[in-house]
Each structure stands twice: as C-alpha cells, then as structure tokens.
Amino acid sequence: MANITKKVSWSSRADESGAAGEGTPLLNGSEQPRHSRQPSEGGSLCQIGRLSTVDLEEEITSDEESQRGRPKEIPHNEKLLSLKYESLDYDNIENQLFLEEERKMSYMGFRCLEISRWVVCGLIGFLTGLIACFIDIVVEQLAGIKYQVVKENIEKFTEVGGLSISLLLWAVLNSAIVMLGAIIVAFFEPIAAGSGIPQIKCYLNGIKIPRVVRLKTLVVKVGGVICSVVGGLAVGKEGPMIHSGAVVAAGVSQGRSTSLKRDFKIFEYFRRDTEKRDFVSAGAAAGVSAAFGAPVGGVLFSLEEGASFWNQMLTWRIFFASMISTFTLNFFLSIYHNKPGELSNPGLINFGRFQGDSVAYNLYEIPLFIAMGAIGGLLGALFNVLNYWLTIFRIRYVHRPCLQVMEAMLVAAVTATVSFTMIYFSNDCQPLGPEHTEEYPLQLFCADGEYNSMATAFFNTPERSVRSLFHNQPGTYNPLTLGLFTLTYFFLACWTYGLAVSAGVFIPSLLIGAAWGRLCGIMLATITPDGSIWADPGKYALIGAAAQLGGIVRMTLSLTVIMVEATGNVTYGLPIMLVLMTAKIVGDYFVEGLYDIHIKLQSVPFLHWEAPATSHWLTAREVMSSPVTCLNRIEKVGTIVDTLSNTSTNHNGFPVVVKVSGSDEPPKLCGLILRSQLIVLLKHKVFSIHVSQDERECMMDLTEFMNATPYTVPQETSLPRVFKLFRALGLRHLVVVDDENRVVGLVTRKDLARYHLGKHGLEELQLAQT
Amino acid sequence: MANITKKVSWSSRADESGAAGEGTPLLNGSEQPRHSRQPSEGGSLCQIGRLSTVDLEEEITSDEESQRGRPKEIPHNEKLLSLKYESLDYDNIENQLFLEEERKMSYMGFRCLEISRWVVCGLIGFLTGLIACFIDIVVEQLAGIKYQVVKENIEKFTEVGGLSISLLLWAVLNSAIVMLGAIIVAFFEPIAAGSGIPQIKCYLNGIKIPRVVRLKTLVVKVGGVICSVVGGLAVGKEGPMIHSGAVVAAGVSQGRSTSLKRDFKIFEYFRRDTEKRDFVSAGAAAGVSAAFGAPVGGVLFSLEEGASFWNQMLTWRIFFASMISTFTLNFFLSIYHNKPGELSNPGLINFGRFQGDSVAYNLYEIPLFIAMGAIGGLLGALFNVLNYWLTIFRIRYVHRPCLQVMEAMLVAAVTATVSFTMIYFSNDCQPLGPEHTEEYPLQLFCADGEYNSMATAFFNTPERSVRSLFHNQPGTYNPLTLGLFTLTYFFLACWTYGLAVSAGVFIPSLLIGAAWGRLCGIMLATITPDGSIWADPGKYALIGAAAQLGGIVRMTLSLTVIMVEATGNVTYGLPIMLVLMTAKIVGDYFVEGLYDIHIKLQSVPFLHWEAPATSHWLTAREVMSSPVTCLNRIEKVGTIVDTLSNTSTNHNGFPVVVKVSGSDEPPKLCGLILRSQLIVLLKHKVFSIHVSQDERECMMDLTEFMNATPYTVPQETSLPRVFKLFRALGLRHLVVVDDENRVVGLVTRKDLARYHLGKHGLEELQLAQT
C-alpha cells in the first residue's frame, strides 16, 4: 500500500492522514458528488469487492492513525529526498464540472467572491491579532508572577544566606512550566514544535505537510509557546505567530475544521489548493505583522517564501490582513495598557524608538557595520552547524516523546542554573536611576539603590532584554557582563532550538546579536578619543542584532523591512540592508540558513526559485518518471482499483489517454485525473453497469472528471524550461509527450527537486520511501 | 509591408525603428551569425532577389525614419487595441544554438554571470543616484537664480509701483525656460514627454515601446525635467527619475547604445529580453529609490508594475540597486550641502521628519482619515476625468510639435500669472520667525518682519512647498490661502500633465493634497474645543497628500511604503494604507488611474494580472488567431521571403512544422521561429544551394535555429488557463495544437488583451492597425 509506506518524520511520528478531508477531489471547489451521475437503478448491486484495499484517505482519522506505527529509528540523510510528501496543486483542475460551475457564475458572483476574500482576510488579520494579544498578555502576567516570586525569594535568602534554595525554586519552576509545554507538544501535536517557519515555508512552496494547518496544532502551539517563554527558555514568541497566523487562515478560509470535525458550509468555493495557499500567505503575513508590528515586512515575508506568481490584488489583500492584524493587536494592547485608542504601538516585540542625533550614522561607520555583518555571518554559521549536529543527534536518539520532554526540562533547568550563576558571580552593579526601565531589578549583593546589571539580561523575558540592550544609557552594562552573556546565551539558544517545544529563534538571535553588538559599541567608544559622541552603544546593539539574526536565518529583503518597521526608523534601512547582505554572503559560504537546514533534514522536495544553473544539458526525457500508468478515457473499474491499490506505484495523478477506434495507432493524451478524484468517484460509484454483473467489469467514463487540458511539454524540453513552467504555475503533474501527443512520462515535484548544485557541480539526490 | 504599417502614436510620431539593434535574433545572447554555417563556395552566387523588400529592421536608422510619415491626425479610441506594438519575449528561445552555448558554460561561468549581474545592478544604482543628484543640484541652483531675480525685481517695484513689469519678467522667464524644455521634447524625443511611468509600466508588462530606453531619451528627459521644474510649471522631478533609472539600466546592462551607435562588447549575455527586463526593473526601482529616498518602496514599485514571476535573487538585486542609488544620492548631496558623510538624508523629495507626540494619532481619528481618503478618491477621479478629456483634445488638435511647444509656453505663462495674482491679492501676512524655513520670503505688501504666506506655496519649488505644508507651525497658513491655492493648483496641475515636457505628477498631487489636508486639519482644530492638541495640521496635510496622490495614480502597496519611507516614520503606515485603499476604491468607482488612462488611450495591449473573471466560457479555439502561417522545417527561401514580405500578415513568430515523409498525414508542430531570426538568417544567407541556380529555390534548414520546444496548449483550454500560462511565463507566442499535435492557431498578447471586463460584463476590444 502506497499510503502505508509513508512515514512522517518531521514530527518523528507516523501519520498519513495529512490532508484528510482537505482534499477537494471532484472539482476544485466542492466535494459533493454529482448525484445525477449515479446509476438510477442497480447501483446497489455494484459493490466494489476490492475497494476496501484502496484505503481511502478520508476514512482514516488522525487520532487512530497517530497512535500506531511509530518507527523505532528513522534514517536521516540530507542527500535523500523523501517520497512520502504529497504536493499541493496550485493549478486548478479544469474538468468539465469545474468549467460548468465557473461558467454558471455571473459577474456579480465573482464580485461577491472577491468581497468574501476581503472579508476572510480581514477575519484572518483580526483573529491573528487577537491570538498575538492573548499570548502577549498571558506571557506578561505569568512571567510577572514567576519573576516576582523568584525575586522575593532571592531577596529573602540574600540576607539570610542559602541562595541555593532560590536557585532550586527557579529551576524547578522553569522545568515544571516547560514540562507542561513539552508534554502537549511531544504527546499531542509534534508538528507544533519549533517556530513552524520551516513548515510554513514548505507549505507555501507547495508541499503538503500533514496536519500543519490544523486547529489542534494552533491550540498546542499557543499553549506551548506560552509555556516555553514563561518557562524562561532562550526562545521568543514571535516565530510561532507566523505559524499561528497560517493556521487561522487555513481554518477561516476553508470554513471547516478537521480537528473539530465540523463543517460550517461556508466559503466552499475556497476549498481548493490555490485559494487556500493564498489565504495561508495572508495568514503568515498577518502573523509577522502582529509579531513585529511590521505589516510591510509581513507581506514581503509571504512573498519571499511563498509566492511564485505575484498578483497585485492578492498582495493587496495580504497587506490588508497584515494591517488589520497589527491594528487589532495595537487596539487591544492599548486597552490592556489603559491607554485606549493610542494606536502607535507596534507588534509583540517593540524595539522602541531610535531617535535623536546620537543614532544618526556616518559614512565612516559603514565599514564597521559591514564588519559586524561578517561577524554575524560567522557566528550564525557556527550556530547553524552546532544546531545541525544537535538535530542529527536528536533525530537518532531523542525521538521518543518522553525523552523529548525530559530534554526540554533539562534545558529549562540548565538555563535557570546558568542564569543564576551568571547573576550570582557578576559584580556589575548599576545605580537604579529615577526613571529606570527595569521591570524586576535584582539588588542581590549590590549596594542599596543599585541593581545587578547581569540580571537585566537574564532575569527578564528576552523581549525586554533586547529593548534594554538597545536603549539603556551608555554605561549601563560593562563589557565583561555583555561578553559572558553573549557566550552563554549563544549556547543556550542553540541547544534550545529544536527542542519539542513551541518556540521561535528570532528573539534569542536578536538578543545574542544585541549583546555583542553593544559590546562592539562600547569598545569603539573606548578606543576612539571622541568616541562617546558617535558610538552610541544602542545603535551598535541594533546592528549586531540584525547581523546575528541575518547570519542565522539568512532572510534578506523581508528581514530588512521587518527590522526597519520594528525600530520605527527608516534611517537605519541602509545599514541594516548592508549588514544583512554581508551576513548572508559570509554565512552562505559555510552552511545554509537554519530553516533550510531543518527543511533539508526532513528530505522535503523543496523547489528553489530556479533550476540549477548548469542543468541545461538535462531534458524532460531524463528527469521524468517513466513508464507512466495511464488510464483509458473509458476504463474498467477493476483496472482503476488495481492501479490505485498497486503498492509499487505511488502516483497521485494519472494521464488519461484515448485510442482512436479502429486504428492500431498508440493512444493519445486526452486528460489528467488525480488519485483523490478517482477515490471519490469509486466511493460514489459513478459508473454505469456494463456487460457483466461482476462489478470489476463495470466501465467508468472519466471524461467529465479529468482535466482535459493538462500542461504538457515535449520530451526534448530542457530542465530549466520544465522547471520554470512547473514552478511558475505551481503544478503538481506535468505530462511529457512525444510529437504525436503520446504520453511518454510524467514530471512531478520530486523529479525536479532532486537536482541541486553542490560543491562539485550538479548533484542528484536519492529518492527514498521513508 | 508589415513594418510600414506601423505608426507610433505614443509620441504622436511615426517611427518604426523601435528596437533596432536591440533584437537578439539567432540565439538570445548574441547576434553573431554562425559563420560555420555559411556556404563555403558559391555563396556569392546566391543573391536573394527580393530580399530588399523585407526591409530589415536593423537597416533603418531612427533619424531617417523619424523625419518622415508624420500622420495628420490619429484616430484614438480606448475601445481599440493597436496592432502596432510588438511584444517582448521573456521566454528564452531555446534553440540548439542557445542550448549549446548554455551547455558549454561551466559552473564558474554561471557564477561570473551572477557576479556581473550584481555589478551591473550596482552600476545602475550608482548612475541613477548620480543623475538624481545632478538634477537636484541643477534645479536648485537655477531655480535659486530665477527666484532671486524675480524677488529682487518684485521688491524693487513694490516700492515704486509697476508690479506688472515684475509679472511680465516672471512670465517671460518661465515661458522661455519651459520653451527650451518643450522644444527638445517635442522636436527631438517625444517619448521623453510626461513622467514616463506609463511607458515603463508597459515595458515591464512586456510591450516594446519604441525608443523608450534610449540614451537620447534619457538626455532629453533630464534636460526637459530641469527646464520644466525651473520654469515653474506645476510638476515634479520625481516621476521622470523612474524613467531615467530604467534607461540607465537598459543602457548599462546591454553594454551598447543605439543612440551613440556604440557597442562596448560587454555583457553580451544580457542581450536578451528576459535579462534586460530584469535590469530595467532594477533601474526603475533605483529611480523610485533616488526620487523618494525609498529603497523598499522602489522594489515594491518594480514588482507591482513589472514582475510576473517573483524571484528571490532578482528581488534582492533590485533591492541592491535601490540601496546603492539612495546611498549615492545621499553621499553626493551631503557633500554638496557641506556635511560630507552624513547619510541620513533621504531622496530628492524629503518630507522631513514627523516626530513627537503631536503627530501620534488616535482611534477616533481613523474615520476622519478614511473620509479624507474618500475625498482624495473623488478629487483624484475628477482630476483624471479632466485630464482624460484634455488628452483626447490634445491628441486630436495639438499633435504638431510647434503647437505643443506653444501650449507648454502658454501654460508656463499662465502659471506665473496665476501665481502672481494669487500672491498679489493675498493679504495673509505671517511674521518672519527667527528660524523661518522659507527660502525666498516675499514681503510684498506685508509689514516689515512679515512675509506673504501665499508666496511660500507659489513662489517656491513644489518640493519646498510640500515640506512647508507638512511642517510649518500651526497658524502659518490661513484657511482662505489654502483653499484658493488648492483650487488653482488643482487646475494648473491637471492642465500641465500631458504637455510635451518631461514632468511628473507625484509632487503636484502631493501638493494639492497637502493643501486641502492642512485645511481640513485647521478646520478640525477650529471646530473642536481642545482641537489644537490633536489636530496637528501637518499630520492632516500628510494624510491629504496621500489621499490625493492615491486618488490620482491608484497605486497601493508601493505607494504606502514610499510615503512611509519618505516621512521616515512607520507610525503612519496604518493610516496611510487606509487612506490609499479608500482613495482607490472610491476613485475606481468613477474612472481608472491616471497612468492606466494614458496607457489605454494608446491602445496598448496591456495584460492585467488575471483573465477577466467571467471568461471561463472562452477557450483557446475562440481567442486564437487562425489560420497561422507555418513554415516547414526545411523551407524554400522564396517561401520565407514571401511570408516575411506579405503585407497582410503581421506575425512575428511562425510555427515550424514537419511532415512525416511518405505519409499523407497533416504536418506536426516541431518548433517556433521568430521573424527577427529569419531576417538575420536571410541576411547571413544561412542556406545551402539546392537544385536550381535560382536563389528562391534554395532550401533553408531551420532545425538549428527554431525553438524546438515551444509552449503549446490544446484548443479546448479555457481562456483563464491560457492567460495564466501566458502571463506567468511572459510569453510572446503560444501555439494552439489539436490532439494530434497539429498547429491550429497561435495566441499572442493582443488576443488576450482584447478581453476586458466592462460595466456590462465581458467586452472585446477591436483590433486596429494604427
């Protein structure tokens, strides 16, 4: 069985029900069978004996499935390309039913659809903003309680001695909270682990990652991220917002939920891959927008990751969703902060305003910025390599949920211990000014009226720490504090990313970068005579943060805009761009970006923007899968059932051919039909009884259901040309024909994804069933 | 003759040499003929008797051509679709020669190409920045001299009486300067008229507008824009920067200039439509970036107007060009302003910083903003309708260059007179503060220490006026001044756009909007009790400016980002977005955007993003051109010459078919060859002598030169599907075949562009030769 051979390893767990119920088999828009086509009599006689072996996707519920077949160990190799992932079909299946539906629709109908799209995007933005708001408030409240308890405890024991009890309290508190987060992730929805950005990237690229846009995933994600941030891990709550937005978008736009097993019977027109993808883009953008207060950055993120075909109206709708999302977040946060109606607040992370003359930059600082970009690229590459090894280790040895939970708890305890130790041994006391911005100033061993500076970095949510590093007065941190903090936080963050908790890597990266960036700024101010004038440490903290983040994630355009929007100052656009470019160039020399590493480790058939440069000597003939299982236009049910049940083929699309009657010429291509469509046809028995009573001899006419005009290419077409067609149109199957229009092969995503440029020219990945 | 029938009406002038020398016939990259294919003996015997009638494009120089055949009157109708425009081919012509070249290239070769692309983009940015800098400095100097002369004259005559002499001086000065600008545009390069944005939009959409990216166009454009701004017209210098950037990009990337008749033999690989388009996108972005100090806005502009297929690397290069452009401009302007190295200056137009609490906005202001957006939409629609009528009038009656020059001079004189009158009759005197920002304060009839407030709006370059409206203290303008100014400037700007001068509509739009926006702000402050606190008039001026500009040009995403970057404050992102959306929705209800109106009036086959919504009932069979002239793979030279010379067909691409020898089956499609390729083949006599001495009987083998794998669609394909394929891949010809792979038709741009959604559903435009 094709389906049985599929194992999902993204979440180290077998699950194949992926898009169950999300497919839109017969025509793109709706799943209702065409009852008029059902045989009016004798239908019940026509039982398909062997149909049960076809294992209809829709009949497996995810919960049954997720309990069985957990593999002991999954072989992982980035030179493999997994065959288990299905592809999304961004090309409408234009069969007769579809065209009839579309033609029936009036101009007004299309106008209404367009308005619905706007409404849905508005809803997506609103809900995403609400979720961001919820996460923000809950994290702030819970973290506040936690830090208050620990602070009081520390203050108590600072005087009487026995601070190890405080340490224990802190570590246990953290571990307990993180345990909760890890349990729901590891046991209930492993796909909710991490930031979710690699998964959304894959989804937007056109790969069906099972259960990635489910309601259950969202709930676990939100709960998980609250636990990880409150649990004091070196994580941020921003990355998961992107995933959350995407889930919201998928849920709202489809008008049904697989997790709730509810179908609200609305927006049925949008139940096709192409519409859903567009909405998920909008959701991801809304997520970015809510997380960073960066609506334009959100749009660019979605486009950078997802769009293959830029469409003005779509972009505008995405923008609308982003806008509403930021607006909603601002509005509700302004009420929460008792300043209702003041909408100038940015997103979840607020870098604060960079204003005034001290933050202007000069020409001679540009080389410094570029050098910092290079450092960021180097440190980012180091981070990624370490995390790559760690991930390999985790895939091999830490794939059982209870182990995963234990690892998460260990990390939480270690984080608390390290933080405590750093604070304990730090003697960087700073005076507590009248307008100090510290939320939980720890006096510890400092004199009265002073606070421990190391604690502002460690004893705080990471967002606040970033803001302190950007905006605290020069002299707030001494260089040793910053150096030690960078070093420890770097390794903590690296260890943390990839744990079975919902958490993002944006904020830890920014924090590491801000710390060493501020260090650079302080050092510059020290070594130059009039340094204090131009070397504002906050400015260098910002540049360092950009460099470090760029070095780790390697985003460019969208990240620049996100940073600019989050700082609220376009003046820094140019240096941030330069820094990000440098970081990317330097980092790419060593290793890929963090998200790409994780995508590659999953052996996902990810399509890049263009075919490898040196692939012109390959033609469709060489890359295509062949021979192809073709179906006749009027086909025996038995043959169809056999084809679908055949374990050796894993095809999801079948070319339909027609033979000229009375001629001995080979059959010609006349259409394309999907596995999912055939299964629905079989389920609804859309065939008439013919010749014999044996149902396997029934004939089925596929004419009405097949896509009569599939895209084709001649077999001499070069790979770049095939790639361009496939990528630009978001195809799933591309039929290769000879000059007589006979089917000679089929090109699918994996055929294109397996060629890539390695160090030694064009390399080919192996295909693997796992 | 196909070529002779073409008449250019964009610039009201016949010119067909369009892309002469820019075509890349044999393989995309280079024009060298394959000498190895030339017959080694007897070649000279084979003269093509009638070849001269083919009228090879390359042999007509633009100067000869531009002097003849000026039509008396050109019929214009936006329901027509002109057949005279050729399409760009963004699909590489993958013939054998091309593939051999590509296959010969090593991985290092591709790396070098990639680096060259970056270098070219850097150069584009640098040169565009320099041009912007040049324009800025020259305009500032010349305008300074002009206003100084006029000011001194006015001051002189204010005391002794006889201000009509001052008026005369002002009007004559303006007219003379504008005359110069109009003469170079009208007589030397009519395509340089206007902002150039519609032309660049068309180019990026895939339409070959003759001479739009020539060096001569650039020189005239730069000279023209300096004259129009210095001449005091209601124009801006920002729009033309976009065109200038595009010309720079085309010139630099192609390594040759048709105007100079020089070929620098560099970047020959980039001499193909697809590479050139990418660079022109980068140039346009660099232009926006230099004009508004908005690198991200520039990228978005290029993508909004040009990109059909979003490519991450391309986007990043475009971003690089934009960045370098802003940087160059900033750097040189900082030197010019004696603050070398201070790079925080934005672009040509600088809205100044919006900072402080007074400019924060509140929830209850959002409805006000939206209302202002609606006003902007209404006023924009009015502007567009008036300008549409005016343009129709101009096309009918003012198409002779000398008339055009006279009209421009008239407008200049009227502008000066109106300005003078307004200033003269205004009695809005304001005290001249110690830190006044007025460059040329006119005292006129005001008391000593005061200046005439109306003069700050009229007696100034428009950029300065915008900035004053945004940032001057509340109370600087009285409402009557603003109202009168709005009214007069609205009509002046409307009259000015479309004159035969190089000029942009961005700044006049902003200025009109800023004036009535500030008026709104003042009125709000008056009618509310504590109004002075929240109704900062500068804020409302900004919102008004956005609304008016949005109402006129109807750009959305890119314009939002441009405005945000130009104000240097992301806080305004949300209100600006809302305002632009409202303005677009309201404006679209009445009439299209200004650029689209002008594009439509040229009957350009402009492809929108998607096929009209209700076009599913149309199939390729209905939209295609048929019958198609096909060539055999081995074809008689005589037939080819006849085909090319046939005046009744205007095809630029011919399907190549092959007949199975010995069978009576109809021929099958085997490739596609372009007219331009055939012409080069004929010029270089790439055929062998065969059978008879009569050269018309020579046979030519097209196998090596034709694109062997053209994209095809079956004739049942629905229009939206054809459209999507055509648009996403930037095709020029799409062959329609039957199920036996026989050619039944050809779909080109005009076949798709002629369907559009009107008020009463799907409408079809008529095709016209003019």
Side-chain angles (χ1 to χ4, degrees), chain A residues 43-220:
Chain A
S44 61
L45 284 176
C46 194
Q47 299 293 328
I48 307 166
R50 291 175 53 193
L51 188 56
S52 60
T53 62
V54 175
D55 220 359
L56 304 182
E57 273 195 321
E58 283 78 0
E59 290 180 354
I60 306 170
T61 67
S62 61
D63 297 297
E64 287 167 11
E65 182 55 23
S66 59
Q67 302 308 321
R68 60 174 157 108
R70 185 164 299 150
K72 286 281 173 290
E73 183 178 332
I74 300 146
H76 268 266
N77 185 342
E78 73 269 36
K79 297 281 177 211
L80 288 180
L81 204 59
S82 172
L83 289 177
K84 79 184 175 220
Y85 292 103
E86 282 186 41
S87 192
L88 294 170
D89 206 341
Y90 293 143
D91 182 42
N92 284 328
I93 301 144
E94 292 210 343
N95 55 20
Q96 285 184 21
L97 299 182
F98 173 82
L99 286 174
E100 271 167 34
E101 290 258 316
E102 295 280 313
R103 284 169 191 164
K104 257 188 286 176
M105 245 160 102
S106 65
Y107 178 55
M108 276 315 291
F110 282 104
R111 288 298 288 259
C112 290
L113 265 187
E114 187 62 24
I115 293 170
S116 317
R117 285 195 191 105
W118 283 92
V119 171
V120 170
C121 280
L123 263 177
I124 291 170
F126 180 72
L127 292 176
T128 308
L130 272 192
I131 290 174
C133 193
F134 173 76
I135 293 179
D136 195 51
I137 293 176
V138 173
V139 165
E140 196 168 311
Q141 293 292 343
L142 292 182
I145 295 169
K146 190 193 83 175
Y147 284 120
Q148 208 54 47
V149 167
V150 176
K151 184 173 183 285
E152 278 164 15
N153 189 282
I154 289 178
E155 275 164 3
K156 194 172 87 190
F157 284 105
T158 309
E159 287 159 32
V160 302
L163 268 173
S164 52
I165 295 169
S166 301
L167 166 61
L168 206 65
L169 172 75
W170 192 2
V172 168
L173 260 179
N174 275 7
S175 292
I177 299 169
V178 168
M179 185 181 74
L180 191 66
I183 284 174
I184 55 174
V185 169
F187 285 96
F188 293 97
E189 197 52 281
I191 200 79
S195 71
I197 295 179
Q199 285 89 333
I200 296 301
K201 271 182 86 156
C202 287
Y203 183 88
L204 293 178
N205 192 261
I207 302 154
K208 217 173 235 172
I209 305 287
R211 306 187 307 168
V212 75
V213 289
R214 290 280 183 84
L215 182 61
K216 192 176 154 194
T217 312
L218 175 64
V219 172
V220 171

Side-chain angles (χ1 to χ4, degrees), chain B residues 445-516:
Chain B
F445 305 118
C446 293
D448 284 349
E450 290 192 338
Y451 68 97
N452 186 305
S453 174
M454 185 67 102
T456 57
F458 271 122
F459 197 68
N460 226 332
T461 56
E463 284 84 357
R464 282 183 196 282
S465 308
V466 173
R467 211 150 55 229
S468 316
L469 286 169
F470 285 168
H471 292 292
N472 279 5
Q473 289 301 310
T476 320
Y477 295 92
N478 81 37
L480 186 67
T481 308
L482 289 174
L484 279 173
F485 177 77
T486 306
L487 198 70
T488 48
Y489 210 80
F490 183 88
F491 290 107
L492 282 176
C494 189
W495 190 10
T496 309
Y497 189 78
L499 283 182
V501 294
S502 301
V505 76
F506 268 76
I507 297 299
S509 308
L510 288 172
L511 191 47
I512 299 166
W516 64 255

